[in-house]
Every structure is written in structure tokens, then in C-alpha cells.
Amino acid sequence: MTNVIFFFKSFSSLHFQFPSLVPKPPPFLSFLSFHKKSSSNSLNSVDKTLIGALSGVLSFGLLFHSPLSVALDYSSVEIFSLSADSSPSDSSASCVEDELPDFGNSETVSPPVSNEDIVQEAWEIVNDSFLDAGHHRWSPEAWKRRQEDIMNMSIQTRSKAHNIIRRMLASLGDPYTRFLPPAEFSKMARYDMTGIGINLREVPDDSGGMKIKVLGLLLDGPAHLAGIRQGDEVLAVNGVDARGKSAFEVSSLLQGPNETHVTVKVKHGNCGPVESIQVQRQVLVRSPVFYRLEQIDAASSVGYVRLKEFNALAKKDLVTAMKRLETMGASYFILDLRDNLGGLVQAGIEIAKLFLNEGSTVIYTVGRDPQYQKNVVADTGPLVTAPVVVLVNKKTASASEIVASSLHDNCRAVLVGERTYGKGLIQSVFELHDRSGVAVTVGKYVTPNHKDINGNGIEPDFQNFPAWTDVTERLSQCSILHQG
């Protein structure tokens, strides 16, 4: 499970996870975060602001050598738009707008920056943030010596600068830390999970809450052709108020079957009119949930739920399945995560919360930087309290491992099957000043019982399906140990 977070200064981020269990190019991202350096001319500091890295989540398939997850956090520049009859001195007529990056315009010119500065910038990112989670051959002392070597070099071309960065990152011995040329980095900024061709972000509003804004659009995509614009605020989806919801939740509302329509109420920019726009979806989103009720004996039955992947519909459809099975009389539940390679990190976290008591730890993240030291906890009570069996195998990975370990360590489920795959790293993708980027391992996931998932996987309680009396006894013993 590799987690990637895209960072761009000062806004809440979107988060993803796609495991690649077979090292073949090009697989998907699992945990990534994207960072954009400060827009000032100085290249001496790395902007590592992370606000709510686990708050919003999107999914996409991107070109990576390993599973990564992505969170986007773009910087915003305040400008003042004056009405036609106002003057620069008429502050009451001015309105603050956000200037967002236009990914559809490939001709945008970046500020001039030297080849040496680009290499130095990449060096600083690793120096500040890299976590040698695999215990390879990185050390601060050796990395400092590499900087000294770089400072003595004259780099004549940008291509040579990029090759130096590639070799520099390869020396870390971490297969997930690598250079991203501008074309590849640009592709990552164009992901879409909504089905209508827009990316969403959470932005603080004046009241201390959050609002949902359009981060970017697919040029000539459904939303763009219908009249939605970059920087628009999403107010409602099919009449459902977007206020108080995360980017992940609003994106889920936008999804639906191919060629169906969704009505999006938007406010154009910060200062423009409010408009309800009907958009035709062009992506078929299939439910990842299959469920059925099976009779155990005359007095009890089990609700079986198969979850194939963690997409934007996973939580909603799982809640529906669990409620229906409980209404039908399910006394126990089976959550089948076999061959589930992951998907959206936040979807996995939200699904784990459905089974936990309020305040229970879902997962820990650890890293060198304090922003990666997080304890993710459940904020509500459980959806169901009946005993749960989670089926796992060697292809249970990434978000699936978050769910399995969370339920297991909180005494809510026993695990049955094979040891899981063991993907638990967090990558951040930092944008360099020439629009290339570096993906750097900055942290890892640790289970509520403080076990390192990455490279280890999760050992099941039983290899073969146990009797339900054994399940309830194991969970009871686990609870007693936790209380003690």
C-alpha cells in the first residue's frame, strides 16, 4: 500500500491509493501527496504545508512503478476584480477571486529557473522529507555529501539536470522514490473520479467551515462543455447541499451510470452568479459491493458482503448492503476482501469507521516530518455490532489492509485466509519549478496495534473458516485483553 499526496500550498488535499502488486510499468498510484513549491524566486525552502491530508479522496489510474495515493493541495493567489463602474480606490466594489492553475493550457510559462536550482530543489525535498522505510542505504551524512558534489557541477541542459535527479533518487535504494518528467507530472493533475470531468478541492470559507471548489476541468469534458468553470464553487448536487461535505463525498454524489444526468448547482468564481447546470455523465461507475444472506441454522443467518475495490461508491453501497442484511435478520457478517487490491484511501478509512466505536483508532501514519504523524480515529458509533469475519488473501492490499487491520486490532473482526500483501508506504509528489516532479517516500501506515504493514502484511487469525462460536470467543478474549 503506497500512499501518495499531491501538495500545493494552503488548501485541503485529496487522497488516493492504488496498489500495484506486480512490478510492471505502468501500474497505479496508491498513496501520494503532491506539493508545489512556493511561487517566490527563492528555492531554498520546501513548502510542506499539509492541511487535512486525509480529508478528501479521489481515484485515478496513473503511470507509476508502484501503488501510490494522491492528495492535491494547490496554492491560491488573491487578486481583485473591479466592476465596470468602479475605480481602484473603490474597495467596496472589489471582490477577491482565486487564481487556479489551468491544466488545459500547455503554453503557460513558468518562471525562469536554472538547471542547478532544479537539482538543488530536488535535493532539499529529499533532505527534508524522505523516510527510509525500507532500511536501505540513505543517511543524512551521505546525502549532505551528495549536495556538495552537486554544487561543484555545471549543468548545461535541463535534460542533464533531470538525469542527475534520476541518479540521485536511485541512490536512495527506494523503488517508490523517483523523478517525474513534466509530461508525466501533468497527467497526474488531470485525474477525475466524478464521471463528468472535474476535480474538486476543499477550501476554508469565511465562517471557519469548508466549501467545495472546482480545482480543474477536463478540457472539452462534460462539465466544461456544460458551462462549469475552474474556480466555481459547488453548492449542491441533485438538490443535496454540498455544505459541510468533503470533496470525496461531493465527488461520490456526482458519480452515476453512464449517460445519465446530474444537476450541479454552482457559484461562478467567488463573485459571479449562481447557476444550476445539467451535465451528462460519461463514465460508467459500477458498484463494488455484492451481498447475500445465507442461513446458518434455523435460528441464525450470516450476511455476506463482497467488496471488490474502494471506489467512490464503496461506502454508500456497503452501508446499504449492511442495513438490508441486518433488516433481513443477519446475526453475523462476512466481509470478503480477497483479491481487493485497494482503491481510494479515504474510502477504506471511512468503511473501517463504520464498524468501530467512537474514538477508536483506525490507522496511524508515521514519518520524519510532524505533518505525517497522525492518528486517524472513528468519529461516530458503529453501523452494526454483530461479529464480523474478514476474508483476506495475498492479494488483499493497500486500503484493504487498512480495513482488515483496523477491524482486527479493535476486536471487531477475526481475519481468515492468507497473510495480506503488505503495502503501507506514503509517497508525496512535489512539483519542481520547471513543472517536473519528484515522488518521495515520506511516511508509512501502522496498525492500531502498532504493527508495520509495509513489507509484512497482516497475519490472519485462522487459515480455514472457523465455527462462529470460535469467532465470538476470539473477539471476546480480544476485548478483555484491550480492557485490561
Side-chain angles (χ1 to χ4, degrees):
M1 174 179 55
T2 312
N3 177 9
V4 188
I5 308 169
F6 270 108
F7 276 105
F8 294 79
K9 184 179 176 183
S10 84
F11 288 108
S12 177
S13 51
L14 306 176
H15 204 115
F16 318 72
Q17 132 189 318
F18 282 90
S20 171
L21 301 185
V22 180
K24 59 181 181 180
F28 298 116
L29 293 126
S30 166
F31 291 114
L32 268 180
S33 79
F34 285 76
H35 298 250
K36 185 173 184 177
K37 296 295 291 293
S38 170
S39 59
S40 67
N41 293 327
S42 172
L43 301 180
N44 293 327
S45 64
V46 177
D47 178 3
K48 299 181 295 177
T49 303
L50 170 56
I51 301 176
L54 298 177
S55 61
V57 187
L58 302 183
S59 85
F60 54 96
L62 301 178
L63 309 182
F64 258 85
H65 289 297
S66 67
L68 304 172
S69 117
V70 185
L72 293 175
D73 197 339
Y74 287 90
S75 59
S76 171
V77 180
E78 291 187 344
I79 62 173
F80 292 91
S81 301
L82 302 182
S83 60
D85 58 353
S86 65
S87 66
S89 61
D90 182 8
S91 60
S92 64
S94 64
C95 178
V96 177
E97 287 279 14
D98 291 331
E99 180 182 356
L100 298 175
D102 182 4
F103 297 118
N105 181 7
S106 60
E107 298 182 358
T108 302
V109 179
S110 300
V113 61
S114 72
N115 298 322
E116 290 80 7
D117 282 341
I118 292 296
V119 176
Q120 174 67 17
E121 188 177 17
W123 181 91
E124 289 174 356
I125 289 169
V126 171
N127 188 62
D128 290 345
S129 302
F130 177 69
L131 177 71
D132 187 14
H135 306 293
H136 300 293
R137 48 184 178 270
W138 183 86
S139 71
E141 296 76 20
W143 196 246
K144 182 64 178 178
R145 289 194 297 271
R146 185 165 291 275
Q147 182 195 36
E148 295 169 356
D149 295 337
I150 294 170
M151 293 177 63
N152 295 325
M153 300 177 66
S154 175
I155 307 173
Q156 300 300 321
T157 66
R158 188 56 50 89
S159 176
K160 183 177 180 181
H162 289 173
N163 286 333
I164 290 171
I165 294 173
R166 287 187 179 94
R167 292 195 300 270
M168 187 169 67
L169 299 182
S171 72
L172 297 171
D174 176 19
Y176 308 115
T177 296
R178 70 187 193 92
F179 174 74
L180 305 171
E184 187 171 347
F185 184 89
S186 177
K187 288 179 182 178
M188 292 185 181
R190 295 189 173 97
Y191 67 89
D192 167 41
M193 69 166 266
T194 65
I196 64 172
I198 62 174
N199 308 324
L200 302 178
R201 68 171 184 181
E202 299 163 25
V203 181
D205 60 24
D206 295 336
S207 64
M210 304 296 291
K211 57 186 177 182
I212 304 299
K213 301 201 74 173
V214 177
L215 168 65
L217 295 108
L218 179 64
L219 191 63
D220 295 327
H224 181 258
L225 293 175
I228 296 176
R229 292 294 175 258
Q230 193 166 316
D232 286 357
E233 179 183 354
V234 178
L235 303 177
V237 177
N238 282 340
V240 178
D241 196 341
R243 287 176 298 182
K245 290 183 169 54
S246 67
F248 171 76
E249 292 171 314
V250 175
S251 295
S252 298
L253 292 174
L254 291 168
Q255 286 197 336
N258 193 37
E259 297 185 356
T260 60
H261 289 82
V262 59
T263 300
V264 187
K265 185 178 181 181
V266 298
K267 180 181 179 182
H268 294 296
N270 285 345
C271 316
V274 173
E275 182 181 4
S276 290
I277 301 175
Q278 190 177 70
V279 185
Q280 186 180 41
R281 300 178 177 105
Q282 292 186 358
V283 175
L284 179 61
V285 181
R286 295 183 175 88
S287 173
V289 175
F290 167 81
Y291 66 97
R292 66 176 181 265
L293 187 72
E294 295 186 356
Q295 204 70 28
I296 299 177
D297 52 41
S300 57
S301 56
V302 59
Y304 171 87
V305 182
R306 168 117 170 96
L307 182 58
K308 294 181 289 185
E309 65 174 325
F310 292 88
N311 66 20
L313 298 180
K315 178 185 175 182
K316 179 175 64 177
D317 290 355
L318 184 68
V319 168
T320 299
M322 299 290 286
K323 286 183 176 179
R324 288 180 179 174
L325 290 170
E326 190 174 43
T327 300
M328 294 164 66
S331 308
Y332 308 96
F333 287 94
I334 296 173
L335 179 59
D336 191 348
L337 297 180
R338 291 174 298 178
D339 300 323
N340 185 326
L341 302 181
L344 305 182
V345 176
Q346 190 64 23
I349 290 171
E350 294 300 324
I351 284 173
K353 289 179 179 179
L354 295 175
F355 296 87
L356 304 183
N357 294 322
E358 184 175 359
S360 298
T361 295
V362 176
I363 201 76
Y364 294 105
T365 63
V366 298
R368 287 174 56 206
D369 194 292
Q371 67 181 337
Y372 301 112
Q373 309 287 345
K374 292 186 176 294
N375 175 16
V376 183
V377 299
D379 45 16
T380 61
L383 178 66
V384 296
T385 58
V388 180
V389 166
V390 178
L391 303 182
V392 297
N393 63 7
K394 59 186 178 182
K395 290 186 179 180
T396 299
S398 299
S400 294
E401 291 177 290
I402 289 179
V403 174
S405 64
S406 181
L407 271 60
H408 176 269
D409 289 5
N410 284 287
C411 306
R412 285 295 292 118
V414 298
L415 307 184
V416 178
E418 303 172 288
R419 180 188 292 270
T420 63
Y421 184 77
K423 277 292 180 183
L425 295 181
I426 302 170
Q427 271 77 44
S428 286
V429 174
F430 297 82
E431 183 182 15
L432 303 179
H433 271 76
D434 68 343
R435 295 183 177 240
S436 63
V438 289
V440 180
T441 295
V442 296
K444 61 183 179 180
Y445 282 103
V446 176
T447 75
N449 284 349
H450 302 282
K451 294 182 179 179
D452 189 349
I453 294 174
N454 192 66
N456 300 311
I458 306 163
E459 187 70 31
D461 300 295
F462 302 94
Q463 291 184 341
N464 300 311
F465 204 97
W468 283 105
T469 53
D470 293 335
V471 172
T472 54
E473 182 180 354
R474 176 66 67 95
L475 294 177
S476 176
Q477 291 174 349
C478 177
S479 297
I480 292 173
L481 289 174
H482 268 240
Q483 293 170 3

PDB file of all heavy atoms in Angstrom, residues 159-181:
ATOM      1  N   SER A 159      17.809  18.601 -19.648  1.00  0.00           N
ATOM      2  CA  SER A 159      17.807  17.141 -19.743  1.00  0.00           C
ATOM      3  C   SER A 159      18.869  16.533 -18.828  1.00  0.00           C
ATOM      4  O   SER A 159      18.633  15.530 -18.145  1.00  0.00           O
ATOM      5  CB  SER A 159      18.053  16.715 -21.195  1.00  0.00           C
ATOM      6  OG  SER A 159      18.150  15.314 -21.294  1.00  0.00           O
ATOM      7  N   LYS A 160      20.039  17.160 -18.788  1.00  0.00           N
ATOM      8  CA  LYS A 160      21.103  16.664 -17.908  1.00  0.00           C
ATOM      9  C   LYS A 160      20.711  16.837 -16.446  1.00  0.00           C
ATOM     10  O   LYS A 160      20.964  15.964 -15.611  1.00  0.00           O
ATOM     11  CB  LYS A 160      22.406  17.405 -18.188  1.00  0.00           C
ATOM     12  CG  LYS A 160      23.582  16.882 -17.363  1.00  0.00           C
ATOM     13  CD  LYS A 160      24.885  17.584 -17.725  1.00  0.00           C
ATOM     14  CE  LYS A 160      26.042  17.040 -16.885  1.00  0.00           C
ATOM     15  NZ  LYS A 160      27.307  17.729 -17.207  1.00  0.00           N
ATOM     16  N   ALA A 161      20.038  17.948 -16.120  1.00  0.00           N
ATOM     17  CA  ALA A 161      19.563  18.162 -14.744  1.00  0.00           C
ATOM     18  C   ALA A 161      18.602  17.061 -14.332  1.00  0.00           C
ATOM     19  O   ALA A 161      18.677  16.522 -13.213  1.00  0.00           O
ATOM     20  CB  ALA A 161      18.895  19.530 -14.628  1.00  0.00           C
ATOM     21  N   HIS A 162      17.694  16.700 -15.226  1.00  0.00           N
ATOM     22  CA  HIS A 162      16.728  15.643 -14.918  1.00  0.00           C
ATOM     23  C   HIS A 162      17.420  14.296 -14.732  1.00  0.00           C
ATOM     24  O   HIS A 162      17.043  13.510 -13.854  1.00  0.00           O
ATOM     25  CB  HIS A 162      15.679  15.562 -16.027  1.00  0.00           C
ATOM     26  CG  HIS A 162      14.742  16.729 -16.042  1.00  0.00           C
ATOM     27  ND1 HIS A 162      13.816  16.922 -17.039  1.00  0.00           N
ATOM     28  CD2 HIS A 162      14.592  17.776 -15.185  1.00  0.00           C
ATOM     29  CE1 HIS A 162      13.124  18.030 -16.795  1.00  0.00           C
ATOM     30  NE2 HIS A 162      13.587  18.563 -15.671  1.00  0.00           N
ATOM     31  N   ASN A 163      18.436  14.030 -15.561  1.00  0.00           N
ATOM     32  CA  ASN A 163      19.166  12.765 -15.407  1.00  0.00           C
ATOM     33  C   ASN A 163      19.935  12.720 -14.094  1.00  0.00           C
ATOM     34  O   ASN A 163      20.039  11.662 -13.466  1.00  0.00           O
ATOM     35  CB  ASN A 163      20.126  12.573 -16.587  1.00  0.00           C
ATOM     36  CG  ASN A 163      19.401  12.187 -17.865  1.00  0.00           C
ATOM     37  OD1 ASN A 163      18.323  11.585 -17.811  1.00  0.00           O
ATOM     38  ND2 ASN A 163      19.969  12.533 -19.009  1.00  0.00           N
ATOM     39  N   ILE A 164      20.473  13.851 -13.677  1.00  0.00           N
ATOM     40  CA  ILE A 164      21.164  13.907 -12.382  1.00  0.00           C
ATOM     41  C   ILE A 164      20.184  13.610 -11.251  1.00  0.00           C
ATOM     42  O   ILE A 164      20.492  12.878 -10.311  1.00  0.00           O
ATOM     43  CB  ILE A 164      21.827  15.281 -12.190  1.00  0.00           C
ATOM     44  CG1 ILE A 164      23.006  15.434 -13.154  1.00  0.00           C
ATOM     45  CG2 ILE A 164      22.289  15.467 -10.736  1.00  0.00           C
ATOM     46  CD1 ILE A 164      23.595  16.833 -13.183  1.00  0.00           C
ATOM     47  N   ILE A 165      18.992  14.192 -11.334  1.00  0.00           N
ATOM     48  CA  ILE A 165      17.970  13.937 -10.308  1.00  0.00           C
ATOM     49  C   ILE A 165      17.599  12.459 -10.295  1.00  0.00           C
ATOM     50  O   ILE A 165      17.451  11.852  -9.219  1.00  0.00           O
ATOM     51  CB  ILE A 165      16.731  14.810 -10.554  1.00  0.00           C
ATOM     52  CG1 ILE A 165      17.073  16.289 -10.369  1.00  0.00           C
ATOM     53  CG2 ILE A 165      15.597  14.413  -9.605  1.00  0.00           C
ATOM     54  CD1 ILE A 165      15.946  17.232 -10.751  1.00  0.00           C
ATOM     55  N   ARG A 166      17.446  11.849 -11.465  1.00  0.00           N
ATOM     56  CA  ARG A 166      17.120  10.420 -11.537  1.00  0.00           C
ATOM     57  C   ARG A 166      18.173   9.585 -10.810  1.00  0.00           C
ATOM     58  O   ARG A 166      17.854   8.691 -10.018  1.00  0.00           O
ATOM     59  CB  ARG A 166      16.995   9.968 -12.991  1.00  0.00           C
ATOM     60  CG  ARG A 166      15.744  10.450 -13.701  1.00  0.00           C
ATOM     61  CD  ARG A 166      15.644   9.803 -15.084  1.00  0.00           C
ATOM     62  NE  ARG A 166      14.442  10.238 -15.784  1.00  0.00           N
ATOM     63  CZ  ARG A 166      14.413  11.258 -16.641  1.00  0.00           C
ATOM     64  NH1 ARG A 166      15.527  11.947 -16.901  1.00  0.00           N
ATOM     65  NH2 ARG A 166      13.288  11.579 -17.244  1.00  0.00           N
ATOM     66  N   ARG A 167      19.441   9.856 -11.108  1.00  0.00           N
ATOM     67  CA  ARG A 167      20.519   9.094 -10.479  1.00  0.00           C
ATOM     68  C   ARG A 167      20.579   9.366  -8.974  1.00  0.00           C
ATOM     69  O   ARG A 167      20.828   8.456  -8.169  1.00  0.00           O
ATOM     70  CB  ARG A 167      21.859   9.435 -11.134  1.00  0.00           C
ATOM     71  CG  ARG A 167      21.969   8.959 -12.579  1.00  0.00           C
ATOM     72  CD  ARG A 167      23.415   8.975 -13.063  1.00  0.00           C
ATOM     73  NE  ARG A 167      23.992  10.321 -13.016  1.00  0.00           N
ATOM     74  CZ  ARG A 167      23.931  11.180 -14.032  1.00  0.00           C
ATOM     75  NH1 ARG A 167      23.318  10.848 -15.163  1.00  0.00           N
ATOM     76  NH2 ARG A 167      24.488  12.364 -13.926  1.00  0.00           N
ATOM     77  N   MET A 168      20.334  10.602  -8.610  1.00  0.00           N
ATOM     78  CA  MET A 168      20.359  10.995  -7.204  1.00  0.00           C
ATOM     79  C   MET A 168      19.282  10.238  -6.414  1.00  0.00           C
ATOM     80  O   MET A 168      19.535   9.712  -5.329  1.00  0.00           O
ATOM     81  CB  MET A 168      20.132  12.503  -7.120  1.00  0.00           C
ATOM     82  CG  MET A 168      20.298  13.115  -5.753  1.00  0.00           C
ATOM     83  SD  MET A 168      20.323  14.928  -5.904  1.00  0.00           S
ATOM     84  CE  MET A 168      18.632  15.249  -6.421  1.00  0.00           C
ATOM     85  N   LEU A 169      18.079  10.165  -6.973  1.00  0.00           N
ATOM     86  CA  LEU A 169      16.989   9.467  -6.296  1.00  0.00           C
ATOM     87  C   LEU A 169      17.210   7.959  -6.307  1.00  0.00           C
ATOM     88  O   LEU A 169      16.865   7.268  -5.339  1.00  0.00           O
ATOM     89  CB  LEU A 169      15.653   9.810  -6.963  1.00  0.00           C
ATOM     90  CG  LEU A 169      15.242  11.281  -6.936  1.00  0.00           C
ATOM     91  CD1 LEU A 169      13.882  11.474  -7.597  1.00  0.00           C
ATOM     92  CD2 LEU A 169      15.218  11.826  -5.521  1.00  0.00           C
ATOM     93  N   ALA A 170      17.773   7.443  -7.393  1.00  0.00           N
ATOM     94  CA  ALA A 170      18.045   6.000  -7.460  1.00  0.00           C
ATOM     95  C   ALA A 170      19.033   5.574  -6.393  1.00  0.00           C
ATOM     96  O   ALA A 170      18.979   4.434  -5.894  1.00  0.00           O
ATOM     97  CB  ALA A 170      18.568   5.638  -8.847  1.00  0.00           C
ATOM     98  N   SER A 171      19.920   6.469  -6.001  1.00  0.00           N
ATOM     99  CA  SER A 171      20.929   6.130  -4.988  1.00  0.00           C
ATOM    100  C   SER A 171      20.305   5.889  -3.617  1.00  0.00           C
ATOM    101  O   SER A 171      20.952   5.337  -2.724  1.00  0.00           O
ATOM    102  CB  SER A 171      21.968   7.248  -4.888  1.00  0.00           C
ATOM    103  OG  SER A 171      21.426   8.409  -4.258  1.00  0.00           O
ATOM    104  N   LEU A 172      19.044   6.303  -3.425  1.00  0.00           N
ATOM    105  CA  LEU A 172      18.376   6.097  -2.141  1.00  0.00           C
ATOM    106  C   LEU A 172      18.008   4.635  -1.920  1.00  0.00           C
ATOM    107  O   LEU A 172      17.751   4.214  -0.796  1.00  0.00           O
ATOM    108  CB  LEU A 172      17.112   6.957  -2.064  1.00  0.00           C
ATOM    109  CG  LEU A 172      17.315   8.467  -2.121  1.00  0.00           C
ATOM    110  CD1 LEU A 172      15.974   9.174  -2.269  1.00  0.00           C
ATOM    111  CD2 LEU A 172      18.044   8.952  -0.882  1.00  0.00           C
ATOM    112  N   GLY A 173      17.940   3.862  -2.994  1.00  0.00           N
ATOM    113  CA  GLY A 173      17.576   2.461  -2.864  1.00  0.00           C
ATOM    114  C   GLY A 173      16.101   2.233  -2.592  1.00  0.00           C
ATOM    115  O   GLY A 173      15.707   1.136  -2.193  1.00  0.00           O
ATOM    116  N   ASP A 174      15.276   3.237  -2.818  1.00  0.00           N
ATOM    117  CA  ASP A 174      13.834   3.117  -2.580  1.00  0.00           C
ATOM    118  C   ASP A 174      13.121   3.083  -3.932  1.00  0.00           C
ATOM    119  O   ASP A 174      13.140   4.074  -4.665  1.00  0.00           O
ATOM    120  CB  ASP A 174      13.348   4.308  -1.752  1.00  0.00           C
ATOM    121  CG  ASP A 174      11.845   4.307  -1.558  1.00  0.00           C
ATOM    122  OD1 ASP A 174      11.224   3.230  -1.732  1.00  0.00           O
ATOM    123  OD2 ASP A 174      11.271   5.365  -1.247  1.00  0.00           O
ATOM    124  N   PRO A 175      12.467   1.974  -4.293  1.00  0.00           N
ATOM    125  CA  PRO A 175      11.844   1.871  -5.622  1.00  0.00           C
ATOM    126  C   PRO A 175      10.678   2.818  -5.822  1.00  0.00           C
ATOM    127  O   PRO A 175      10.246   3.027  -6.953  1.00  0.00           O
ATOM    128  CB  PRO A 175      11.370   0.410  -5.671  1.00  0.00           C
ATOM    129  CG  PRO A 175      11.202   0.013  -4.239  1.00  0.00           C
ATOM    130  CD  PRO A 175      12.275   0.746  -3.497  1.00  0.00           C
ATOM    131  N   TYR A 176      10.142   3.405  -4.734  1.00  0.00           N
ATOM    132  CA  TYR A 176       8.970   4.269  -4.850  1.00  0.00           C
ATOM    133  C   TYR A 176       9.329   5.751  -4.932  1.00  0.00           C
ATOM    134  O   TYR A 176       8.471   6.586  -5.179  1.00  0.00           O
ATOM    135  CB  TYR A 176       8.037   4.041  -3.662  1.00  0.00           C
ATOM    136  CG  TYR A 176       7.691   2.594  -3.462  1.00  0.00           C
ATOM    137  CD1 TYR A 176       8.094   1.924  -2.314  1.00  0.00           C
ATOM    138  CD2 TYR A 176       6.990   1.884  -4.426  1.00  0.00           C
ATOM    139  CE1 TYR A 176       7.792   0.585  -2.132  1.00  0.00           C
ATOM    140  CE2 TYR A 176       6.683   0.548  -4.250  1.00  0.00           C
ATOM    141  CZ  TYR A 176       7.090  -0.098  -3.105  1.00  0.00           C
ATOM    142  OH  TYR A 176       6.793  -1.424  -2.925  1.00  0.00           O
ATOM    143  N   THR A 177      10.593   6.085  -4.698  1.00  0.00           N
ATOM    144  CA  THR A 177      11.049   7.470  -4.804  1.00  0.00           C
ATOM    145  C   THR A 177      11.676   7.646  -6.173  1.00  0.00           C
ATOM    146  O   THR A 177      12.676   7.005  -6.488  1.00  0.00           O
ATOM    147  CB  THR A 177      12.066   7.796  -3.693  1.00  0.00           C
ATOM    148  OG1 THR A 177      11.410   7.706  -2.426  1.00  0.00           O
ATOM    149  CG2 THR A 177      12.626   9.187  -3.863  1.00  0.00           C
ATOM    150  N   ARG A 178      11.085   8.530  -6.990  1.00  0.00           N
ATOM    151  CA  ARG A 178      11.567   8.638  -8.359  1.00  0.00           C
ATOM    152  C   ARG A 178      11.226   9.993  -8.963  1.00  0.00           C
ATOM    153  O   ARG A 178      10.416  10.750  -8.425  1.00  0.00           O
ATOM    154  CB  ARG A 178      10.994   7.516  -9.227  1.00  0.00           C
ATOM    155  CG  ARG A 178       9.522   7.630  -9.517  1.00  0.00           C
ATOM    156  CD  ARG A 178       9.024   6.382 -10.235  1.00  0.00           C
ATOM    157  NE  ARG A 178       7.707   6.568 -10.804  1.00  0.00           N
ATOM    158  CZ  ARG A 178       7.473   6.976 -12.046  1.00  0.00           C
ATOM    159  NH1 ARG A 178       8.490   7.271 -12.837  1.00  0.00           N
ATOM    160  NH2 ARG A 178       6.244   7.104 -12.504  1.00  0.00           N
ATOM    161  N   PHE A 179      11.847  10.262 -10.090  1.00  0.00           N
ATOM    162  CA  PHE A 179      11.652  11.518 -10.818  1.00  0.00           C
ATOM    163  C   PHE A 179      10.468  11.398 -11.771  1.00  0.00           C
ATOM    164  O   PHE A 179      10.248  10.354 -12.383  1.00  0.00           O
ATOM    165  CB  PHE A 179      12.918  11.869 -11.602  1.00  0.00           C
ATOM    166  CG  PHE A 179      12.766  13.074 -12.488  1.00  0.00           C
ATOM    167  CD1 PHE A 179      12.718  14.348 -11.948  1.00  0.00           C
ATOM    168  CD2 PHE A 179      12.667  12.924 -13.869  1.00  0.00           C
ATOM    169  CE1 PHE A 179      12.572  15.457 -12.765  1.00  0.00           C
ATOM    170  CE2 PHE A 179      12.522  14.028 -14.690  1.00  0.00           C
ATOM    171  CZ  PHE A 179      12.472  15.299 -14.131  1.00  0.00           C
ATOM    172  N   LEU A 180       9.709  12.501 -11.906  1.00  0.00           N
ATOM    173  CA  LEU A 180       8.574  12.554 -12.818  1.00  0.00           C
ATOM    174  C   LEU A 180       8.815  13.674 -13.828  1.00  0.00           C
ATOM    175  O   LEU A 180       8.815  14.850 -13.454  1.00  0.00           O
ATOM    176  CB  LEU A 180       7.285  12.844 -12.046  1.00  0.00           C
ATOM    177  CG  LEU A 180       6.966  11.904 -10.892  1.00  0.00           C
ATOM    178  CD1 LEU A 180       5.792  12.447 -10.089  1.00  0.00           C
ATOM    179  CD2 LEU A 180       6.662  10.519 -11.402  1.00  0.00           C
ATOM    180  N   PRO A 181       9.032  13.358 -15.085  1.00  0.00           N
ATOM    181  CA  PRO A 181       9.210  14.416 -16.085  1.00  0.00           C
ATOM    182  C   PRO A 181       7.938  15.243 -16.212  1.00  0.00           C
ATOM    183  O   PRO A 181       6.856  14.808 -15.791  1.00  0.00           O
ATOM    184  CB  PRO A 181       9.518  13.638 -17.372  1.00  0.00           C
ATOM    185  CG  PRO A 181       9.027  12.258 -17.129  1.00  0.00           C
ATOM    186  CD  PRO A 181       9.129  12.008 -15.658  1.00  0.00           C
TER     187      PRO A 181
END
